[in-house]
Amino acid sequence: MNWKLPHGITWRPVASYFFMVIIFFALLQLVAAQKLNLTGALAVALLLSVVLAWLLYRRVVAPLSEINETAREMARGRLDRELHLYSRDEIGQLANSVNEMARQLRRTINQITEEKDRARAILNSMADGVIALDRQGQVLLVNPVVEEIFNIKQEDCQGKNILGVIRNFDLELLLERALKTQQPLTREIKIIAPEPRIFRLHATPLEEADREKGGVVVLLRDVTERKKLDDMRSEFVANVSHELRTPLTSIRGFLETLLDGALDDRETARHFLEIMSAETERLTRLIDDLLDLSKIEERRVVHRWQPVDMIDVISRVLSMFRPQAREKNITLLSRLPSGLPVVQGDPDMLAQVLINLVDNALKYTPGGGQVTVSAAAADGRLEVSVADTGVGIPAESLPRIFERFYRVDKARSRELGGIGIGLAIVKHIIRAHGGKIQVESTPGRGSVFSFTLPAGEGAATLM
């Protein structure tokens, strides 16, 4: 039976050591009574000492050495190592406690690792940027979105002040305020580098385990495109309102004049009615173009995809504009080599592209000028160009020439009946056919609008 002392010490090792002491005491008594000589006593004592040392080594020193070595291995991170000591004394209990501690540490570390991996996966899958700061305002972590936007590495920015990572004083001031007040904060800021962008910033304070003020977690949502769309929508509404107001104001003015008595003068009345008819036609074109543009942008147009012979389309469009060209004394030419490949597309929409481009070329080319439509095939694509010898386009206007309602010379465009939507329609039609459009121009010497389309009946279309 393995009796225990009140503090958990077993009787067995204590009794064995006490028994050894009694034996040594008995040897001393025998030597004192001269019943055993000194040499024999020393021999017996030496033998007993060896036995005692062996017992101490086997029961104490060897197990403690193994426990010590295992503890060192665990400190180095090898928590899978366990002690194989099955004695029922204190050494065995210590070994069991160390083994249980290692198992519990493994379970805890696995849970922490799983939580860390889960949190990292969530951060990596987020579409918004995330920055975590400690209470001193130094960066703890950033997610891959922040790394990509600002061209930084997490290992390079950890422990740095936010200004050393993202050089924006407005952002630094907002985060300092969030750290100081420990209150949620939402703002929109504009960051210039590495490229101009607008972010909606939401800072949430962190509360640490000791209930003291901690750092903040910053969520950065890129709203640049949304802002651009809002600006474009506002500009679009303003432009449409202006374009509608001008002819309506003109029509209203002439109507009031006619009602005030000008109707009795037939020549004046006819002149006013002709102007009102022209303004009404302009309004009709504007509304039709807006509807066409809206349908194309929202992909609500039902395309009649089929093989299209661009030579036939170009020839039909040029025949439409020859009377207008003769009236303005403009030479209308075509350069169409034989054997051009067909393209896959909607013939009516491709004809609309050419109508808009040729119409613009004729409008902005003075009398005696020349407009040339050419086509060529190369690298599996068909390129069509419309070149004129007109007034040309300034270099600063070229990047915006395909925007809705953008006009280089607003007064001249209004005089010629242009409303600034035709080229926007051209751009969307060409994109819907999987092609690209570009423009080259020199003021005073003319412009060249050219677009490319995938050639061949099996050419894929991009919608």
Side-chain angles (χ1 to χ4, degrees), residues 186-403:
T186 302
R187 293 287 188 278
E188 283 190 1
I189 61 172
K190 185 174 183 179
I191 296 179
I192 305 300
E195 62 182 57
R197 292 190 182 188
I198 300 174
F199 292 93
R200 186 169 183 83
L201 180 148
H202 183 75
T204 304
L206 288 174
E207 194 174 76
E208 297 186 353
D210 55 4
R211 311 299 292 180
E212 293 184 0
K213 293 181 179 180
V216 293
V217 173
V218 183
L219 186 69
L220 292 173
R221 176 164 295 176
D222 191 345
V223 295
T224 307
E225 292 301 321
R226 194 194 71 186
K227 282 289 185 182
K228 288 182 179 179
L229 290 176
D230 290 342
D231 294 340
M232 289 175 62
R233 187 180 298 110
S234 299
E235 184 180 358
F236 177 77
V237 172
N239 286 327
V240 170
S241 301
H242 178 74
E243 293 295 336
L244 291 174
R245 184 184 295 112
T246 301
L248 287 175
T249 302
S250 177
I251 293 173
R252 181 179 178 181
F254 287 120
L255 281 174
E256 290 177 352
T257 304
L258 289 172
L259 292 174
D260 287 341
L263 189 60
D264 297 333
D265 187 345
R266 292 183 60 86
E267 291 188 12
T268 303
R270 182 176 182 82
H271 177 64
F272 284 178
L273 289 174
E274 288 176 351
I275 296 176
M276 292 168 61
S277 176
E279 294 293 345
T280 304
E281 184 180 352
R282 180 182 171 193
L283 278 175
T284 303
R285 287 201 311 271
L286 172 61
I287 294 172
D288 289 342
D289 286 344
L290 286 174
L291 289 175
D292 291 340
L293 181 60
S294 176
K295 290 178 181 179
I296 294 171
E297 288 183 339
E298 296 179 9
R299 299 178 181 178
R300 291 187 286 112
V301 178
V302 179
H303 297 281
R304 298 185 300 109
W305 298 114
Q306 62 187 49
V308 179
D309 184 358
M310 287 303 296
I311 294 181
D312 179 60
V313 174
I314 294 171
S315 300
R316 286 191 290 110
V317 171
L318 292 181
S319 64
M320 292 171 53
F321 285 99
R322 291 197 187 279
Q324 180 180 342
R326 284 194 298 268
E327 184 179 348
K328 292 189 64 177
N329 191 26
I330 297 175
T331 304
L332 190 57
L333 300 176
S334 63
R335 295 175 182 173
L336 306 174
S338 59
L340 288 177
V342 298
V343 297
Q344 190 76 7
D346 187 320
D348 293 337
M349 298 194 74
L350 292 176
Q352 186 177 0
V353 168
L354 285 168
I355 289 171
N356 289 349
L357 293 179
V358 175
D359 183 51
N360 280 347
L362 292 174
K363 283 180 180 178
Y364 295 98
T365 300
Q370 178 177 298
V371 174
T372 305
V373 180
S374 58
D379 300 327
R381 301 183 73 84
L382 179 67
E383 180 176 358
V384 180
S385 300
V386 178
D388 63 62
T389 58
V391 295
I393 304 170
E396 62 272 14
S397 297
L398 289 177
R400 302 189 58 189
I401 198 66
F402 294 102
E403 294 181 10

Side-chain angles (χ1 to χ4, degrees), residues 115-164:
E115 292 294 332
K116 182 180 178 181
D117 292 341
R118 189 178 296 113
R120 175 57 62 180
I122 293 173
L123 285 175
N124 291 345
S125 62
M126 290 182 66
D128 299 326
V130 178
I131 304 175
L133 306 178
D134 60 16
R135 65 179 67 183
Q136 284 78 35
Q138 296 178 340
V139 177
L140 295 176
L141 63 87
V142 297
N143 71 336
V145 175
V146 175
E147 292 180 332
E148 181 180 356
I149 291 175
F150 299 102
N151 194 23
I152 57 176
K153 298 289 185 181
Q154 174 161 306
E155 55 270 18
D156 297 334
C157 62
Q158 281 183 328
K160 291 184 178 180
N161 185 273
I162 188 64
L163 188 61

